[in-house]
Amino acid sequence: MHSLWARAAQAQSSCRCRICLHSGRTIIRRSTNAASRRKVTAADIFTACYTTILGTATVLDAARKDARKKDLDEKLEKARAALSTLSIQDSPGQQGAVNNDADPSVADTSQNRVHRSSGNESNAANVTKALFQELGPIYGITPRPLPRPLWIQSQLEWAEVESAIVAEERDPGYVLREPISSRQMQRTTDTVLDLINQLIWKQQISESTRSQDVLMMNGEHSGSRDIVWEELEDALRSPHYGYYYHPSDDAVDAVKARSYLGKSIRRIFNQAASSTEIVARICYDMLTCSVPPTIHTYNTLIAGFNRIQRPDLAQTVIDSYIHRTTWPATQQTIVCLLNHYRGTNQVDGLRDIIQRMRGVKDDGLHFRIISKDTVRSRSWLDWAEKNCASRKHTFVQRAYRTDDVFNSLIKAWLYCGELGNASMALIACLRNGGSVTIQTLQELFTACITTVDFPAARRLVKGFAKNIREFVNLLHKVVRQESIGTSRQVVLNVLQLLDMCHPPPNKIFSTDLKTYDKTLRRLRSFVNTTRLELEVRETAYLCEVTLKEVNSFGPLINRLNRAIANINSAQRSRSKCTEAYVKFNRLAILASIDRSYQKLEAGIKVTTALVTAAILKIKTGYDFDPSGLLNSNQPMNYRQKNHHDSLIKALQSIQVRGGAMTQRDIKSQLLQRLPDPILAGRLKESGNIENLSIRTLISFYTPTPIRVKSQDCDCSDSISQLEQELASIEDTTRAILFSYLNCDRQRHLRHQYSDWYQMPLEPLVKYHMRRRRKAINEVSASIDLKQTDVVESRDHKSPALRAVEEPWNALEDAVADDMASKRRAANLADIERGLRLGRPIPKFRSANPSVLRDEDVHLPLVALG
């Protein structure tokens, strides 16, 4: 008994504190000795008080914990509802969604880019997104950025691509383009050797973040790398390597050698080695192979380097294929190229590959180039027009796109932020009778909904309506092959896209888009039919599960409880989806009403501007819109769109009077109501406002970005004030110089610099200097002409007589001519120096140091810049 109490005391006093040791020893003493009275110690009082405090705190904190638990449960329910609303439960890409900041390579900011959609559509997209951002939290909808692929997802995709490359390599139906002549064979050999050298050079100059490469940099596991590298260097120096046999000499042996080369490269990529060792082994195998590699070898290299996170080495292989080979691309080649530029987020490279797929750049992807002079039959011409891109003198064959290519193309545009192009790629896939994976379909639909991209959604809906048979077949395929939950999410996403693009009810706004409305109703009926079919399937499945639970073994009450739980779970899931869809439908109706209102408002503005322009043309004779840009429905580029908006704003600011009006009245009103009052004041103070044309004043109504004062400068207040004064003086000088230009020069500068404050002073100063030089030359020419007339009148007299009659005129004429020539030369020199202010001032030094300028002599103003 004593040993049991001793073990209990050890267990209780495991913390070895003074209180626990005292309590344990007391228990042991009480178990062995007789009970005796003892005094209450401070430790006993502390234990009792501490226990009471803890118990009281636990009771008081219980209510607060229950309230907090209820609050967290409510927040979790709201979060689940929001996720259900946005349909991202089944989307594999949403788990790794991060905020994709503005990438200069994704965004197309070219000012000459043509707006294929009208201005009303772009404004409607902005209005829809703003409305969803404002009212979305009320309905439990939060716009989200585009997803980014996870690392493990990319690894799995590249592994699937490598498997497809192996299957494509074993396909006997694919015929390789082999070299025919010895010259072509030598060119192929040089291409392979150049690729090997480029891979070695790229590996030596590039830095990698792979863990194996970091260990190699630290000096670990470098023995095998050194051995392989030495073998590669010996092979490169040896005259026996770098020579390939022609594949047609022994076709069977060539197929075996290339198969072994592909297996060896894949085995090297699967090893956990450093990039240097991988590159050395691959280059050694390519160098020692008996036949040259093929397009399948290049595909394996591109996929493998991307899988081991070395896209720079993969880019080297791509450059070698595009610019050094003539092998036609396979389907997996196109997939590798698209996935590579998607992973590196290079929009320019992606556009380059797509242009080559279409056959509109260079020689495409090396398929076939046909001279137009050789096409002499109608059937041959029909084939070329269908499968080739027509160039100036040739037909360049386009790439054939399979389901894998379309799937990679949609994902590439999607992850690069081009939802409109991704939508067009999906419509092209439907038009060609293809299909994409359910993951790609969900990611595209979810991205359009979560980012509230109205133009992309409109493109999808229009494409579905034009290819309604193919779209219905796609929906039926999804319903047959996927689960009920996944199919329901796809159907609800399509309904949400229809809600985003549906026009408002006719009771609120009368619309003349009867054909569009009818097509959308037909499309919605097909989607609702599919949704009803899913509900029937779900009900049948629920009945089957319920009967299975009821007929199972066990107590009846337990079986009934399990069956009721299944029914309640299915009902809750269905009610959540229905509630989320109803909320989104209400918000979409509000957005459609707002879009229609904005469209009507924009139409009213254009109509009012047209009426005002017509009235002012009658009153003043000035035509504000000679090109008909106000009522044009053609696509507009960036500058045309700016001129259109500025013209509408300028016409809105003009007040038409009842009496007679002149162009001077229009100028005064435009100048008085300029959006920038500071600029208006400086132009008024320039002293030559009459020289400003109406078109120039209209250009000042173009919306310009707000100039925000930088707060990063740590200068003192006096320096900041001085900078502000200098900026004000510069703006005043710009306004004065600009107002004295002619109309053509003003229009040219406003066309070149849409932002007034970005216009440099140098072209203004140079223009005025040239005008001054021209004026001086004209005055000098007139003076020379007058002097010539005077001299000719004097020459009629004899020299002796003129010297006797006017002895003083000879000396005065000589002095006057000398002074005039000096003044003219000085003025021209000053103007030339002014024209060269922006150029670097050359510094000439003499060979003799004694003739150099002293340090105390001040430099002229021109030398100081």
Side-chain angles (χ1 to χ4, degrees):
M1 191 65 181
H2 178 72
S3 61
L4 292 176
W5 284 111
R7 291 180 182 178
Q10 290 177 2
Q12 186 177 359
S13 60
S14 59
C15 61
R16 303 300 177 184
C17 66
R18 181 168 171 246
I19 299 174
C20 296
L21 286 174
H22 175 74
S23 302
R25 290 168 183 170
T26 303
I27 292 174
I28 295 175
R29 285 195 302 268
R30 288 183 180 179
S31 63
T32 54
N33 302 329
S36 61
R37 296 176 60 89
R38 68 178 184 86
K39 294 182 179 181
V40 178
T41 61
D44 295 333
I45 297 175
F46 175 77
T47 303
C49 295
Y50 188 71
T51 306
T52 306
I53 292 171
L54 288 179
T56 306
T58 303
V59 173
L60 293 177
D61 195 45
R64 188 171 59 184
K65 285 185 177 180
D66 292 338
R68 182 171 177 79
K69 183 179 179 181
K70 292 180 180 179
D71 188 18
L72 291 176
D73 291 338
E74 292 178 358
K75 291 182 179 179
L76 287 174
E77 289 295 331
K78 291 181 180 180
R80 292 191 187 99
L83 290 174
S84 176
T85 304
L86 296 174
S87 309
I88 61 175
Q89 291 92 339
D90 296 330
S91 176
Q94 289 291 337
Q95 297 177 0
V98 295
N99 189 1
N100 186 15
D101 296 334
D103 192 1
S105 59
V106 175
D108 187 6
T109 58
S110 176
Q111 292 186 349
N112 296 323
R113 180 172 58 92
V114 176
H115 296 266
R116 294 299 176 190
S117 60
S118 62
N120 294 334
E121 184 174 346
S122 61
N123 293 334
N126 297 331
V127 168
T128 302
K129 185 171 293 187
L131 187 64
F132 269 77
Q133 290 178 354
E134 183 178 358
L135 301 181
I138 300 177
Y139 290 92
I141 301 172
T142 305
R144 285 177 170 80
L146 290 174
R148 297 297 303 167
L150 296 174
W151 175 81
I152 187 64
Q153 182 182 355
S154 300
Q155 295 292 310
L156 293 176
E157 289 180 357
W158 283 116
E160 294 177 357
V161 170
E162 289 181 346
S163 301
I165 292 172
V166 174
E168 190 178 59
E169 187 177 2
R170 296 174 180 175
D171 186 8
Y174 185 82
V175 180
L176 296 173
R177 183 180 293 177
E178 301 287 2
I180 300 176
S181 61
S182 58
R183 182 178 180 182
Q184 293 181 358
M185 188 67 189
Q186 184 61 38
R187 187 182 303 170
T188 303
T189 304
D190 294 340
T191 300
V192 176
L193 294 178
D194 180 72
L195 174 61
I196 292 174
N197 293 327
Q198 288 294 325
L199 287 175
I200 295 173
W201 177 76
K202 194 71 175 179
Q203 171 59 30
Q204 290 176 350
I205 67 171
S206 301
E207 296 182 359
S208 174
T209 57
R210 297 177 67 239
S211 58
Q212 295 86 350
D213 298 337
V214 173
L215 292 176
M216 187 199 69
M217 293 295 294
N218 295 333
E220 301 180 15
H221 309 289
S222 60
S224 59
R225 175 185 63 84
D226 297 337
I227 296 174
V228 175
W229 200 259
E230 291 177 359
E231 293 179 357
L232 177 61
E233 291 178 350
D234 294 339
L236 289 173
R237 287 192 295 264
S238 175
H240 303 288
Y241 294 105
Y243 175 79
Y244 298 110
Y245 293 100
H246 201 283
S248 60
D249 295 343
D250 190 350
V252 178
D253 183 69
V255 171
K256 290 183 180 180
R258 287 168 173 172
S259 177
Y260 291 152
L261 177 62
K263 291 180 181 179
S264 175
I265 292 175
R266 286 188 289 272
R267 191 183 305 111
I268 292 171
F269 279 126
N270 292 330
Q271 295 175 355
S274 63
S275 300
T276 304
E277 185 175 351
I278 290 175
V279 170
R281 290 181 181 275
I282 290 175
C283 293
Y284 183 81
D285 290 347
M286 292 175 61
L287 194 63
T288 57
C289 186
S290 60
V291 290
T294 61
I295 184 63
H296 304 300
T297 308
Y298 273 58
N299 296 342
T300 305
L301 291 175
I302 296 172
F305 282 129
N306 278 286
R307 184 165 60 85
I308 66 171
Q309 299 179 1
R310 289 305 304 268
D312 52 340
L313 300 178
Q315 184 63 47
T316 303
V317 182
I318 292 173
D319 294 338
S320 176
Y321 166 71
I322 294 293
H323 303 292
R324 297 296 302 272
T325 67
T326 58
W327 303 328
T330 66
Q331 294 299 307
Q332 294 306 315
T333 305
I334 303 175
V335 170
C336 290
L337 295 175
L338 294 175
N339 289 352
H340 167 76
Y341 287 113
R342 181 193 73 186
T344 56
N345 200 17
Q346 298 181 17
V347 182
D348 294 338
L350 181 61
R351 294 184 189 276
D352 178 78
I353 295 301
I354 293 175
Q355 290 176 359
R356 292 179 180 275
M357 290 171 57
R358 294 169 51 204
V360 297
K361 185 173 183 179
D362 296 342
D363 60 343
L365 289 177
H366 316 312
F367 290 109
R368 186 181 298 178
I369 301 177
I370 306 170
S371 176
K372 289 185 177 181
D373 297 335
T374 60
V375 179
R376 296 187 176 92
S377 64
R378 184 63 188 177
S379 59
W380 188 232
L381 180 61
D382 293 339
W383 180 90
E385 291 178 350
K386 181 180 179 180
N387 300 291
C388 300
S390 179
R391 307 284 282 274
K392 187 175 182 180
H393 302 291
T394 59
F395 289 106
V396 181
Q397 185 177 357
R398 302 189 189 98
Y400 178 72
R401 296 173 292 182
T402 60
D403 293 347
D404 293 339
V405 173
F406 276 117
N407 190 70
S408 299
L409 182 60
I410 294 171
K411 282 190 173 183
W413 283 126
L414 178 61
Y415 290 130
C416 288
E418 298 284 346
L419 287 180
N421 293 330
S423 304
M424 294 173 63
L426 177 60
I427 300 305
C429 179
L430 292 178
R431 187 169 57 248
N432 293 337
S435 62
V436 296
T437 61
I438 186 63
Q439 291 82 8
T440 304
L441 200 64
Q442 278 187 316
E443 287 182 1
L444 178 58
F445 290 167
T446 304
C448 292
I449 294 171
T450 54
T451 58
V452 198
D453 196 327
F454 175 72
R458 190 177 179 85
R459 287 195 181 103
L460 283 176
V461 172
K462 283 186 176 181
F464 294 158
K466 291 180 180 179
N467 306 274
I468 191 168
R469 181 178 300 177
E470 291 80 4
F471 174 67
V472 172
N473 293 335
L474 177 63
L475 278 184
H476 289 169
K477 180 181 178 182
V478 171
V479 171
R480 288 193 308 268
Q481 297 180 357
E482 302 298 332
S483 62
I484 296 176
T486 303
S487 303
R488 184 194 293 116
Q489 292 295 339
V490 173
V491 171
L492 289 179
N493 285 340
V494 175
L495 288 175
Q496 289 173 342
L497 292 174
L498 292 174
D499 291 337
M500 288 178 61
C501 303
H502 202 279
N506 294 333
K507 296 180 181 179
I508 303 176
F509 287 97
S510 60
T511 176
D512 55 350
L513 302 176
K514 296 182 180 179
T515 305
Y516 178 69
D517 192 9
K518 183 178 179 180
T519 305
L520 287 183
R521 291 181 184 276
R522 183 185 177 192
L523 188 60
R524 186 181 291 274
S525 66
F526 282 112
V527 179
N528 287 330
T529 303
T530 307
R531 184 183 180 188
L532 181 61
E533 181 183 351
L534 284 174
E535 291 182 357
V536 172
R537 283 182 54 192
E538 184 180 8
T539 304
Y541 176 75
L542 183 61
C543 291
E544 181 181 355
V545 172
T546 303
L547 291 176
K548 184 178 180 180
E549 290 291 345
V550 171
N551 296 329
S552 61
F553 295 98
L556 180 60
I557 186 65
N558 294 338
R559 289 179 287 167
L560 291 177
N561 288 334
R562 289 196 297 268
I564 293 173
N566 291 333
I567 294 174
N568 292 335
S569 176
Q571 186 176 3
R572 283 195 302 269
S573 176
R574 185 181 301 176
S575 62
K576 285 182 180 179
C577 294
T578 305
E579 183 181 0
Y581 171 70
V582 169
K583 290 181 178 179
F584 191 91
N585 187 18
R586 292 175 183 174
L587 189 56
I589 291 176
L590 291 176
S592 64
I593 294 173
D594 201 2
R595 283 198 308 271
S596 299
Y597 171 76
Q598 296 292 334
K599 186 177 180 179
L600 289 175
E601 187 178 7
I604 291 172
K605 288 181 179 179
V606 173
T607 305
T608 305
L610 287 172
V611 172
T612 305
I615 294 174
L616 292 176
K617 184 178 181 181
I618 295 172
K619 284 181 172 292
T620 63
Y622 182 79
D623 190 1
F624 280 85
D625 190 21
S627 60
L629 191 62
L630 286 177
N631 56 352
S632 175
N633 294 325
Q634 299 296 326
M636 293 181 291
N637 57 25
Y638 177 78
R639 297 187 184 278
Q640 290 175 341
K641 186 69 172 59
N642 280 344
H643 181 60
H644 178 272
D645 297 341
S646 61
L647 188 58
I648 291 178
K649 290 183 179 180
L651 289 172
Q652 288 177 350
S653 64
I654 298 175
Q655 184 178 1
V656 180
R657 299 173 184 173
M661 292 184 65
T662 61
Q663 295 185 13
R664 185 174 182 180
D665 297 334
I666 296 176
K667 287 184 180 180
S668 62
Q669 291 191 32
L670 290 175
L671 187 60
Q672 185 178 1
R673 296 182 176 89
L674 277 182
D676 191 350
I678 300 177
L679 176 59
R682 285 171 179 159
L683 290 175
K684 290 179 182 179
E685 295 173 357
S686 63
N688 196 21
I689 58 176
E690 297 295 335
N691 195 36
L692 297 174
S693 63
I694 296 178
R695 185 179 179 88
T696 302
L697 292 175
I698 290 175
S699 66
F700 288 114
Y701 284 81
T702 303
T704 55
I706 301 175
R707 303 183 70 190
V708 181
K709 182 182 177 181
S710 178
Q711 302 293 336
D712 298 335
C713 183
D714 297 333
C715 304
S716 61
D717 297 338
S718 58
I719 296 179
S720 301
Q721 184 178 0
L722 182 59
E723 289 179 352
Q724 294 178 4
E725 293 178 357
L726 289 175
S728 177
I729 294 173
E730 181 182 357
D731 295 339
T732 304
T733 306
R734 184 185 296 109
I736 294 173
L737 294 176
F738 183 82
S739 62
Y740 281 88
L741 299 176
N742 55 33
C743 297
D744 295 335
R745 191 65 181 176
Q746 289 177 2
R747 184 170 63 252
H748 174 72
L749 288 176
R750 289 299 296 153
H751 179 78
Q752 187 176 1
Y753 304 99
S754 57
D755 188 0
W756 167 259
Y757 295 99
Q758 296 296 328
M759 183 188 301
L761 291 176
E762 183 179 358
L764 299 175
V765 174
K766 285 186 176 182
Y767 178 78
H768 284 282
M769 288 293 183
R770 291 191 185 98
R771 287 187 59 186
R772 184 182 174 190
R773 182 173 61 179
K774 183 178 179 181
I776 291 176
N777 290 334
E778 291 177 355
V779 172
S780 300
S782 62
I783 293 174
D784 292 340
L785 182 60
K786 292 180 181 179
Q787 290 179 354
T788 302
D789 296 338
V790 172
V791 170
E792 288 179 354
S793 62
R794 291 179 181 177
D795 287 343
H796 291 294
K797 298 180 180 180
S798 62
L801 180 61
R802 189 171 63 251
V804 173
E805 294 178 355
E806 301 174 354
W808 60 89
N809 287 336
L811 181 59
E812 290 180 358
D813 292 343
V815 173
D817 291 342
D818 184 54
M819 294 297 293
S821 62
K822 289 183 178 180
R823 285 196 302 269
R824 186 163 59 252
N827 291 332
L828 291 177
D830 292 339
I831 293 174
E832 291 295 336
R833 283 196 300 270
L835 290 175
R836 292 194 297 268
L837 283 177
R839 304 177 185 176
I841 300 174
K843 187 176 182 180
F844 301 100
R845 290 186 178 275
S846 175
N848 187 7
S850 60
V851 300
L852 296 177
R853 183 184 299 271
D854 296 334
E855 295 181 356
D856 298 333
V857 179
H858 297 285
L859 293 175
L861 181 60
V862 175
L864 293 176

